[in-house]
Amino acid sequence: MKLLSFFVKFFLVLVALALTALVVFVLLFDPNDYRDRVSALVREHTGRELILAGPLELSWFPWLAVEAGNVSLGNASGFGNQPMVSVRSVSAELRILPLLFGEIEVGTVNLAGLDLRLNRDAEGRSNWDDLLVSRGGDAASSSAEPATEARRVRATDRKNTDTAGSEPFQFSLEGLQASDVHVVWEDRAAGTKYVFEDGQLAVGAVRQGAPLDLETEFAFALAEPAMRGRFKLAGRLAFDLAANQFASPRLTLALRAQGASIPGGEAQVSLALEQLRLDLERERASASAFLLQGYKARVSGSFSARDIVSGPSASGVVELQPCDAKAVLHALGVQPPVTSAPDAMTDVSATVRFDYAPHHLRVPFIRLAVDGTILEGRVSAQLNKPEYALALSCPALDLTPYLPPLEPAQEGREPSLSTEPAGTGKDSVTAEDAASEESAEPEWVQLARGLSLDLHVALDDLRARNIRLRGLDLTARGHHGVVAVEPLDVRIEHDNDLFTLQLGKGFADMHAMRARWDSIALHTPGGGISGSVRATNLTTQPEINADLALEHLNLRTLAELAGDLMPVSLPETSDQEVLTDWHGALTLGYSPAGIRLEDMDLLLDDTTVLGRADVDWEQERYDAQLRLGKLDLDRYLPAKQSNHAGETAPESVMDRKPDDTGTAVTKAGQTGDVGRESSNARKELLERLRRMRADVRLEAEALQYDGLTLSDIHTGLGVQGGVVRLEPFALDVEQGHVDMIWEMDAAGQVQHQCIPTIKGVRLGRLLKRYAGIDQAGGTLSVRTIEPLTWEGLDVEPLKRTLSGSLGFGVRDGEYPGLDLFAMLAVVDSLTKAVLEGEEDESTKFGEITGTLVADQGRIHCDDLCVKAPGLRAGGEGFVNLPDNRIEYLVRAMAVQDASGQGGAGCDEFYGVPMPLRVSGTLDNPRYWVSAEEYAASIARGAVGLVTGVVGGILDGGGQVGDVIEGGAQSVQGAVESIVDGVVDGADQGATEGSDAVGGAVDQGREAVEDFIDGLEGLF
């Protein structure tokens, strides 16, 4: 007992001495005396300057506690003078007794005003690299190490440190509280800067092997991308520093941000992770569940990742919870599409299973649900090269609710595919840009040449308004730019109309830039088309060749079926039955330079078309050989509409006359600026003719046009070097035949030559239809004596330069507007001094012959001969085309010859002819007889009388007096009758110019009387 009492007393004495020593130490110890020593120690181990600007305070109860103010740690060399770390105040507590048992128990550490600046320079060196290695190590080489290898080295160093010495201390921290935290991260190599401020950090108890609670909140501001906001991170963390393993049973992140670079301008997003595990040694990470919320959407799932440092791989499931897609788009700042159904896209969900490895993504399952419609499939892609596989299937898909609503005017019809005219709304493209685009190979071509594709799309029932597609099963496979498409058979329903599309195997070679489809068949309610298609030069100058068979195409039905989706405007026709049955076969070739049609064997309605045609727009080369059957062109032309009474046809350019300035003048005298436009058009036409090459041959069995039947048509048009030649041009019309050769030389000054031949063409219907002359008729024949020539492209040069000669004859005809027999009777009665023909009058004749001689637009006909039963007429005069006038004199006389055609000639009779004058404009000629000239004719007829008298003298002198007396009385009576008629007409004021005519007649009468008196005196 005494020994025990001794030890107790001894222990109490030691405790008393220790307490006394501790009191003395507290009273005498000042930690501020060790500032320099602490700074030197930090400088020795880090090379940094530790500044303890504020006072150091030490307390012993209840725990050993240290407080310091305005503490800062200098920055690394080359990163400026601002400290890397600075703290306005810091305090820490340490329990003393656990130290005796090898345990370090730290109470709550409080930091206020923590300012941390993390930097990386342009060379990639950070301002904390030197703190991660010992002073004796090579800091430069450490900073140059890859980040992944540096982490491995640090982990190995920590493990070696833990096992190198004796049993390590057991460390625990009651907690960490930090307020007013400011963190700046600036990366000059990447040009980025992040600022985190007004931060709060709370860490719960830290004990080895036990999880800790973490909660932090910061405000942040970013320059690129421009945004600012606040985030909060909270959760429980478990970690094993020695094994580099971390885990969190639940970790949440809440973010609120604003900025121009944020979708919608503002975001409120939260992320929750369940059972998050991170193993840096094995480079693995996983989460049993996650939930991402924001923008009115919820995305959940799970994932696991491998090789997260060396080469990340991941797999997992992502699910989009049912949401309103329109609301999501609106929250993202995207205008949602306007749909026909207001509730469309309001119930959208998706499930995706994925497996990602470096350069490869595989999605073995996709399920998309949109308003009850299910779309399923799978996708895989090789990311380092264009290898893709896609499979999609959907039993039924109705796109109608998702299409834009129709305007009221569009109800019941499809929306049109509006296309702008070329150049509208687009920037102009220069020739250099176009050449550059042609020479540069499109990027998609380069991609397609390395493409490997496995595509399968199955849509059993696809709808879009009144269009329904059934049985779409598309399979395409490609390998390194060679693609094969499996046969396809699709049915398309449009309202009550059924279409079928059948495609055989298709192939495309993106290296040779060619493709083909072995068979194509499209059947519609408006007929069908089938054949095969081949294409080459797909990117540069695409050429398409096709062997096609037309199967009773009804163009009218097809145009109606196209509707407004692809508007087709057919020409207006007088017969609605045409354009309804096109059948046959042809070979089609197309390229941007032109089009080629070969082996044509077509039946267009009732007309057969055989032959070929080749058009090259770039080279302006035209080559065609066509044979037509019977074609009723009137059926294809618009129905004629008669003008209402009193209406005036619109004035055309041909109605305008050039004035002295060369500018067109309208009938109203107004000058229009069409001269320059017409000149430019002529110049462009001539340039095209000089470049053009053409060889067009056309044969037609019969052509019905404007009520006329043209048959046995043979035409040939050749163009080369500016010379245009039409040969042959032969056809039968109106029971006759027309043959013509025409040539125009446009290589220099435009010159024409024409050789027409007409045999037995009946004129009645031609004149009535095209000249509006009702009573004209006859059978026309024309022969060329000298070829017709003229210059220029317009009517005016033709009028000025027309030359040549033609012989013509008209048999068994009728000339309108003039009744020669009636005029002879009227003249004989001499009731008028000047006689004019009426529109409803006509002269029937047996034959009219003559020769037209043209010289520089002045056409003479001096051998006109008209033969009619009881009538002969000759004529002479001219037509002056430049001033559009005619001056012609026809001398007609009644004869005692009942024959017309084939009778005696016009110069085989003599007597007193009636002088008929035709004068005025060609548009409105005037037919009239002048009594003055008729009186002069009678006077000249006295010469015939003298001849008869002399003959009577020679035959029998006793009768001379009787002859002279009778002749004198006859002539005198005729003259008196003329005078009486003229006087009567003058008194009645019925005839224009009668006074002048009366004076002339008086002179004629006096001359005749003098002549008669002389004859009487002679005998």
Side-chain angles (χ1 to χ4, degrees):
M1 290 297 294
K2 292 183 178 180
L3 181 62
L4 179 61
S5 175
F6 170 77
F7 279 109
V8 171
K9 292 180 181 179
F10 180 75
F11 178 75
L12 293 175
V13 171
L14 289 178
V15 171
L17 291 175
L19 292 174
T20 302
L22 182 60
V23 171
V24 173
F25 176 78
V26 171
L27 294 176
L28 299 179
F29 179 78
D30 186 359
N32 292 286
D33 295 338
Y34 296 89
R35 290 172 179 270
D36 297 337
R37 187 172 179 181
V38 173
S39 298
L41 186 62
V42 172
R43 188 184 307 110
E44 178 183 353
H45 285 82
T46 65
R48 306 287 187 95
E49 191 70 30
L50 178 65
I51 299 176
L52 303 172
L56 295 177
E57 298 183 1
L58 189 64
S59 62
W60 297 92
F61 184 82
W63 292 346
L64 177 62
V66 178
E67 295 183 7
N70 298 328
V71 180
S72 63
L73 177 65
N75 218 329
S77 176
F79 289 92
N81 298 325
Q82 287 185 315
M84 177 181 174
V85 182
S86 63
V87 182
R88 187 170 62 249
S89 66
V90 57
S91 64
E93 300 174 344
L94 179 65
R95 293 184 179 181
I96 298 177
L97 292 180
L99 293 175
L100 301 177
F101 302 98
E103 297 179 358
I104 301 176
E105 294 186 6
V106 180
T108 302
V109 177
N110 293 292
L111 299 174
L114 173 62
D115 192 349
L116 176 63
R117 296 181 177 273
L118 305 176
N119 301 94
R120 178 178 292 160
D121 61 15
E123 287 75 24
R125 186 171 60 93
S126 59
N127 65 343
W128 65 86
D129 286 343
D130 57 331
L131 300 178
L132 302 180
V133 296
S134 62
R135 287 293 296 168
D138 188 355
S141 64
S142 175
S143 63
E145 290 177 337
T148 58
E149 191 63 26
R151 281 191 285 268
R152 291 180 183 272
V153 170
R154 291 195 298 272
T156 303
D157 289 344
R158 282 192 292 269
K159 293 174 68 175
N160 293 338
T161 301
D162 293 339
T163 59
S166 58
E167 185 73 17
F169 283 96
Q170 297 294 322
F171 176 81
S172 65
L173 175 66
E174 189 67 25
L176 174 66
Q177 296 287 336
S179 60
D180 194 15
V181 180
H182 183 80
V183 179
V184 177
W185 160 244
E186 183 176 7
D187 187 349
R188 295 180 182 175
T192 58
K193 183 178 181 180
Y194 306 121
V195 178
F196 302 91
E197 54 190 0
D198 191 20
Q200 307 292 328
L201 177 63
V203 180
V206 180
R207 294 180 177 84
Q208 189 170 358
L212 61 86
D213 293 326
L214 172 69
E215 183 176 340
T216 181
E217 185 176 358
F218 277 92
F220 65 90
L222 308 180
E224 184 64 35
M227 68 174 68
R228 61 186 303 109
R230 194 169 189 86
F231 73 88
K232 182 177 182 180
L233 179 66
R236 172 167 290 188
L237 300 178
F239 50 87
D240 184 348
L241 297 178
N244 273 337
Q245 294 180 349
F246 304 87
S248 174
R250 180 175 177 81
L251 186 65
T252 61
L253 172 66
L255 171 69
R256 177 186 295 176
Q258 303 87 27
S261 60
I262 296 178
E266 181 178 0
Q268 290 186 351
V269 181
S270 66
L271 174 65
L273 297 169
E274 302 286 345
Q275 300 300 324
L276 176 64
R277 299 180 182 277
L278 178 62
D279 188 340
L280 295 179
E281 288 296 323
R282 301 173 62 188
E283 297 189 36
R284 292 180 177 272
S286 64
S288 63
F290 69 85
L291 177 62
L292 177 64
Q293 301 182 81
Y295 291 108
K296 299 186 178 181
R298 292 163 54 91
V299 179
S300 61
S302 62
F303 70 89
S304 63
R306 307 168 299 278
D307 303 325
I308 59 177
V309 177
S310 57
S313 301
S315 60
V317 178
V318 177
E319 294 185 1
L320 173 65
Q321 304 296 328
C323 65
D324 186 340
K326 289 184 177 179
V328 173
L329 291 175
H330 191 274
L332 289 169
V334 178
Q335 182 64 34
V338 179
T339 58
S340 299
D343 58 348
M345 300 175 61
T346 57
D347 184 10
V348 178
S349 62
T351 300
V352 176
R353 288 202 301 264
F354 68 94
D355 188 358
Y356 170 79
H359 311 304
H360 182 75
L361 174 64
R362 189 172 67 92
V363 182
F365 178 77
I366 299 175
R367 186 179 188 275
L368 175 65
V370 181
D371 302 325
T373 300
I374 306 300
L375 179 68
E376 295 183 345
R378 63 182 185 276
V379 179
S380 65
Q382 196 72 23
L383 303 182
N384 61 339
K385 53 185 177 180
E387 291 186 6
Y388 309 97
L390 171 64
L392 295 176
S393 63
C394 181
L397 175 60
D398 189 356
L399 297 179
T400 304
Y402 309 99
L403 297 177
L406 293 175
E407 299 293 336
Q410 291 181 308
E411 290 293 342
R413 58 187 177 95
E414 293 300 314
S416 62
L417 297 179
S418 175
T419 57
E420 294 181 290
T424 304
K426 299 180 181 178
D427 297 335
S428 60
V429 179
T430 64
E432 293 78 4
D433 295 336
S436 174
E437 290 180 1
E438 290 183 0
S439 61
E441 192 173 57
E443 184 177 351
W444 70 267
V445 174
Q446 302 176 12
L447 178 64
R449 285 177 175 168
L451 177 68
S452 293
L453 176 69
D454 187 357
L455 174 67
H456 181 236
V457 177
L459 290 174
D460 296 335
D461 188 358
L462 175 64
R463 296 187 180 187
R465 291 202 173 94
N466 55 346
I467 298 178
R468 189 171 187 175
L469 187 148
R470 291 178 177 272
L472 176 62
D473 192 348
L474 174 63
T475 300
R477 296 181 178 88
H479 184 66
H480 295 299
V482 179
V483 181
V485 181
E486 295 299 319
L488 182 66
D489 189 349
V490 180
R491 290 189 305 161
I492 304 173
E493 299 175 7
H494 181 272
D495 292 331
N496 296 324
D497 300 317
L498 176 63
F499 303 78
T500 61
L501 176 62
Q502 296 172 326
L503 301 178
K505 270 202 169 185
F507 300 90
D509 186 344
M510 303 310 296
H511 298 278
M513 300 311 299
R514 62 189 180 190
R516 80 173 192 269
W517 226 297
D518 292 338
S519 65
I520 296 177
L522 174 63
H523 300 280
T524 75
I529 184 170
S530 60
S532 60
V533 178
R534 301 166 301 282
T536 57
N537 301 328
L538 295 179
T539 57
T540 54
Q541 296 287 327
E543 297 182 8
I544 299 175
N545 294 278
D547 296 322
L548 301 177
L550 310 183
E551 301 174 8
H552 301 287
L553 292 181
N554 188 327
L555 302 187
R556 298 186 185 277
T557 301
L558 293 176
E560 293 177 0
L561 293 174
D564 293 332
L565 184 64
M566 190 169 55
V568 176
S569 178
L570 294 178
E572 180 184 353
T573 61
S574 59
D575 187 351
Q576 297 301 309
E577 295 299 321
V578 299
L579 305 178
T580 58
D581 189 6
W582 287 24
H583 186 76
L586 75 157
T587 297
L588 169 68
Y590 168 80
S591 71
I595 189 170
R596 185 181 71 258
L597 303 175
E598 295 181 345
D599 301 326
M600 283 191 292
D601 187 356
L602 303 175
L603 180 62
L604 308 184
D605 297 320
D606 299 326
T607 303
T608 59
V609 179
L610 304 175
R612 62 177 181 82
D614 189 355
V615 178
D616 189 331
W617 295 306
E618 290 186 352
Q619 301 295 328
E620 296 204 46
R621 180 175 55 82
Y622 307 90
D623 186 7
Q625 289 186 358
L626 299 175
R627 284 189 299 157
L628 306 182
K630 295 180 179 180
L631 174 61
D632 188 349
L633 194 57
D634 290 335
R635 300 174 63 194
Y636 295 87
L637 297 176
K640 291 186 177 180
Q641 297 181 356
S642 59
N643 292 335
H644 296 288
E647 286 188 355
T648 303
E651 181 184 10
S652 65
V653 177
M654 296 299 296
D655 296 326
R656 304 178 182 180
K657 306 291 183 181
D659 62 5
D660 296 338
T661 63
T663 307
V665 180
T666 64
K667 292 180 180 179
Q670 298 177 347
T671 301
D673 190 14
V674 299
R676 185 176 297 105
E677 296 178 3
S678 178
S679 176
N680 293 337
R682 288 193 295 269
K683 182 178 179 181
E684 182 180 354
L685 174 60
L686 292 176
E687 291 177 352
R688 290 195 60 189
L689 288 175
R690 291 160 187 164
R691 297 191 305 264
M692 186 185 301
R693 291 180 56 193
D695 184 8
V696 179
R697 305 288 170 176
L698 174 64
E699 298 179 7
E701 181 180 351
L703 175 65
Q704 187 80 15
Y705 173 70
D706 202 15
L708 297 176
T709 299
L710 312 178
S711 60
D712 197 15
I713 302 172
H714 298 269
T715 64
L717 177 65
V719 182
Q720 185 170 3
V723 178
V724 182
R725 187 173 180 85
L726 182 64
E727 182 184 9
F729 179 81
L731 56 87
D732 293 340
V733 60
E734 290 296 306
Q735 303 180 21
H737 181 74
V738 177
D739 198 344
M740 182 179 68
I741 299 175
W742 169 73
E743 181 177 286
M744 180 181 70
D745 188 350
Q749 183 177 1
V750 180
Q751 297 180 346
H752 302 257
Q753 179 175 291
C754 182
I755 304 176
T757 301
I758 301 175
K759 296 179 181 180
V761 176
R762 300 193 64 82
L763 296 176
R765 290 204 305 165
L766 295 175
L767 294 175
K768 181 177 181 180
R769 182 172 298 276
Y770 301 108
I773 302 175
D774 293 332
Q775 299 177 355
T779 301
L780 173 66
S781 296
V782 175
R783 61 185 177 88
T784 299
I785 302 173
E786 293 183 2
L788 299 180
T789 61
W790 68 92
E791 298 177 0
L793 294 175
D794 298 330
V795 175
E796 293 302 324
L798 181 146
K799 290 181 178 180
R800 294 193 302 267
T801 61
L802 179 65
S803 299
S805 60
L806 301 175
F808 70 91
V810 181
R811 299 176 182 273
D812 300 328
E814 182 176 2
Y815 191 83
L818 177 66
D819 188 344
L820 289 178
F821 289 106
M823 279 194 168
L824 286 173
V826 172
V827 170
D828 286 340
S829 64
L830 295 175
T831 58
K832 293 185 178 180
V834 178
L835 306 177
E836 297 188 12
E838 302 295 337
E839 292 184 357
D840 57 351
E841 296 175 343
S842 66
T843 299
K844 293 184 178 180
F845 57 87
E847 183 180 36
I848 297 179
T849 60
T851 302
L852 299 177
V853 179
D855 183 14
Q856 301 300 312
R858 189 180 180 94
I859 303 175
H860 290 264
C861 180
D862 298 332
D863 60 349
L864 178 69
C865 180
V866 180
K867 298 179 182 180
L871 175 69
R872 293 293 186 270
E876 59 184 16
F878 65 88
V879 173
N880 194 5
L881 294 180
D883 58 10
N884 202 41
R885 296 193 61 81
I886 181 172
E887 292 292 340
Y888 205 81
L889 174 62
V890 178
R891 294 185 177 91
M893 70 178 75
V895 298
Q896 294 181 356
D897 189 343
S899 62
Q901 176 181 337
C906 296
D907 55 352
E908 297 182 20
F909 296 92
Y910 69 91
V912 180
M914 179 192 67
L916 169 65
R917 285 201 173 273
V918 183
S919 62
T921 64
L922 293 175
D923 299 330
N924 187 23
R926 176 174 174 239
Y927 307 92
W928 56 283
V929 176
S930 172
E932 171 190 357
E933 294 185 1
Y934 190 63
S937 297
I938 293 176
R940 287 192 297 272
V943 176
L945 176 62
V946 172
T947 303
V949 170
V950 173
I953 293 173
L954 296 178
D955 293 337
Q959 299 178 356
V960 172
D962 296 335
V963 172
I964 293 176
E965 184 177 1
Q969 291 176 356
S970 299
V971 173
Q972 186 173 1
V975 173
E976 289 176 352
S977 298
I978 294 174
V979 174
D980 293 340
V982 171
V983 173
D984 294 340
D987 293 340
Q988 296 173 6
T991 305
E992 176 184 357
S994 59
D995 293 338
V997 174
V1001 171
D1002 290 339
Q1003 295 178 2
R1005 181 179 59 183
E1006 293 176 358
V1008 172
E1009 290 176 350
D1010 292 340
F1011 179 73
I1012 294 174
D1013 292 340
L1015 289 178
E1016 292 178 346
L1018 177 63
F1019 296 99

